[in-house]
Amino acid sequence: MKYLVCYVFFSLYAISIGYSQINEEKRKEDFVIAFGSCNKQSLPQPLWNEILKNKPDLFIWGGDNIYGDSDDMSKIKNHYKLQNSNLDYQLLKNSVPIMATWDDHDYGKNDAGGEWKMKRESQQLFLDFLEVGKEDKRRNQEGIYTSKTFKTSKGSVKVIILDTRYFRSPLLKDPAGKKRYIPHDGNNETVLGEKQWKWLEEELKTTKVDFHVIVSSIQFLSGEHGWECWSNFPNEVTRLEQLIVALKVKNCVLLSGDRHISEFSKKELSDLGYPIVDFTSSGLTHSYLGFNGEPNQFRVGDVIHTPSFGILKFNFETKVITMQMRGKDNKVLQEIQQQYLLD
């Protein structure tokens, strides 16, 4: 018995030394965010260990964190349980803080929005999966939107998680059948809903940080493909762009998922001083292997259509974010560096 106790003690000591060494080694970058989306709980999940090799300070789920697609909440609960039982994911969540949004498949129904009849029940299971405490305000609010500011001795990053499901107006199907969906031409349809819009405005104007990271499950800039995206609601795209410019939001980048491809999109906004980048990373366990091209006027670089995850490396002194798509064996599949505004 005493040998077992000694073994456990020295194992824990070795682990603590290992984590200490990691923390001492890691500071080529001032802050690192890893993120990814489209994770099927029943498939092999080889990328968790690759993500950890980047020594992230935060991991962000970008949506479709499991594939539930059911109005039977016991089934969705079991899907979350299966995901949580993955040993490599357990290692990540015990090592790194986690934030998350959801998308349609963990929301409970393909392409569903505010009309989904089980959204309240699904929200509680989502929060259970993230181990959110009963006192957290997300337990009582409508929608899973939230934010958190991460501060270091060199600078700070505010992460804003949007809910693009709970309040979203119905999508408009293409009557010609050429695409799945086409944009609405009115101003009454919404992605975020008024409550969330008011919350977002307060979040963007009440804090002073070096960088803002806005997480949307669906793509913000790419919108010519006819699938789900913000561009199906042009009034909402304009509203967010105008809000960022009007508030002079400092050094803002958007993260998205959903598409089973990864790409960088970039758009210049007048009077902002830096371009808006929408970094799409999808998916973690499966991807659009048969991808053969689609238009995106804002695309920078190539489309990656093999399983991958996203990495953002922040330099607070130079105000540069290095953005990388990484895949098998932690290989860099594509990279851009974006210069943001200096103080």
Side-chain angles (χ1 to χ4, degrees):
M1 180 68 182
K2 68 178 182 179
Y3 296 109
L4 177 60
V5 171
C6 289
Y7 174 79
V8 171
F9 173 79
F10 283 112
S11 295
L12 291 173
Y13 177 74
I15 290 171
S16 69
I17 292 296
Y19 282 132
S20 176
Q21 289 174 343
I22 285 173
N23 288 334
E24 289 176 3
E25 295 175 348
K26 74 183 293 184
R27 292 289 58 131
K28 288 183 180 179
E29 298 81 30
D30 297 324
F31 196 79
V32 177
I33 292 177
F35 80 106
S37 66
C38 301
N39 179 81
K40 193 167 287 188
Q41 67 279 357
S42 58
L43 291 180
Q45 299 178 28
L47 294 182
W48 297 122
N49 288 325
E50 307 310 316
I51 289 171
L52 278 172
K53 290 177 183 177
N54 295 275
K55 305 180 181 71
D57 298 281
L58 172 68
F59 176 76
I60 301 175
W61 282 110
D64 290 340
N65 312 319
I66 60 160
Y67 280 68
D69 298 285
S70 177
D71 57 6
D72 183 343
M73 293 297 104
S74 66
K75 290 183 178 179
I76 293 181
K77 183 177 182 178
N78 285 334
H79 292 320
Y80 279 129
K81 184 177 180 180
L82 177 59
Q83 179 55 40
N84 261 327
S85 70
N86 182 283
L87 295 179
D88 291 332
Y89 176 63
Q90 284 184 20
L91 179 60
L92 179 131
K93 78 173 191 174
N94 289 328
S95 308
V96 181
I98 291 178
M99 297 182 72
T101 189
W102 59 8
D103 203 37
D104 51 345
H105 296 296
D106 40 355
Y107 186 53
K109 185 178 181 180
N110 187 48
D111 292 357
E115 77 283 356
W116 177 227
K117 63 181 180 179
M118 302 300 293
K119 62 184 181 180
R120 292 171 181 83
E121 294 84 352
S122 184
Q123 177 169 334
Q124 296 305 313
L125 293 180
F126 170 85
L127 297 174
D128 290 344
F129 171 63
L130 295 178
E131 300 177 0
V132 171
K134 299 300 181 183
E135 75 288 347
D136 191 288
K137 63 182 179 182
R138 283 172 289 174
R139 289 290 185 178
N140 296 309
Q141 77 178 18
E142 293 183 307
I144 52 89
Y145 56 90
T146 189
S147 73
K148 186 173 182 178
T149 298
F150 296 84
K151 297 180 180 180
T152 76
S153 60
K154 294 185 177 181
S156 54
V157 179
K158 183 169 189 176
V159 178
I160 298 173
I161 302 288
L162 299 181
D163 186 333
T164 62
R165 291 290 161 190
Y166 200 97
F167 305 97
R168 200 212 65 208
S169 300
L171 296 160
L172 183 60
K173 291 186 177 180
D174 182 2
K178 295 180 179 180
K179 298 180 178 181
R180 179 174 289 186
Y181 303 114
I182 58 174
H184 287 278
D185 57 6
N187 294 316
N188 295 322
E189 295 81 17
T190 188
V191 173
L192 300 184
E194 279 306 309
K195 285 184 180 179
Q196 190 175 183
W197 271 115
K198 290 177 181 177
W199 169 85
L200 177 59
E201 182 173 353
E202 289 300 312
E203 291 293 317
L204 290 174
K205 73 181 183 182
T206 56
T207 53
K208 294 182 179 179
V209 292
D210 292 283
F211 292 97
H212 292 82
V213 176
I214 299 178
V215 182
S216 165
S217 66
I218 56 174
Q219 289 184 304
F220 180 72
L221 289 180
S222 180
E224 299 157 71
H225 44 70
W227 304 99
E228 287 196 280
C229 58
W230 278 71
S231 291
N232 290 321
F233 305 86
N235 57 309
E236 295 283 84
V237 173
T238 300
R239 184 170 181 175
L240 183 52
E241 291 179 349
Q242 289 179 344
L243 184 63
I244 291 171
V245 172
L247 296 178
K248 296 181 173 59
V249 176
K250 188 175 181 182
N251 300 344
C252 180
V253 60
L254 285 92
L255 308 183
S256 58
D258 175 55
R259 295 293 322 287
H260 301 177
I261 60 172
S262 297
E263 63 179 341
F264 298 115
S265 303
K266 186 185 294 189
K267 183 179 181 180
E268 300 284 347
L269 299 182
S270 299
D271 302 319
L272 187 59
Y274 64 88
I276 290 294
V277 174
D278 180 359
F279 182 177
T280 303
S281 181
S282 173
L284 287 167
T285 58
H286 58 294
S287 59
Y288 188 4
L289 296 176
F291 179 85
N292 60 5
E294 67 182 33
N296 176 4
Q297 61 181 309
F298 301 114
R299 183 180 297 133
V300 177
D302 300 319
V303 171
I304 300 300
H305 49 94
T306 55
S308 66
F309 58 93
I311 292 289
L312 295 92
K313 301 179 178 182
F314 296 80
N315 187 306
F316 293 125
E317 181 180 359
T318 63
K319 298 297 188 290
V320 170
I321 305 179
T322 300
M323 307 181 202
Q324 299 174 330
M325 301 167 190
R326 289 178 175 257
K328 184 180 179 181
D329 299 323
N330 200 32
K331 181 180 179 181
V332 176
L333 306 175
Q334 192 161 203
E335 174 183 302
I336 64 171
Q337 289 190 332
Q338 181 58 52
Q339 175 70 60
Y340 290 87
L341 297 179
L342 298 169
D343 293 331

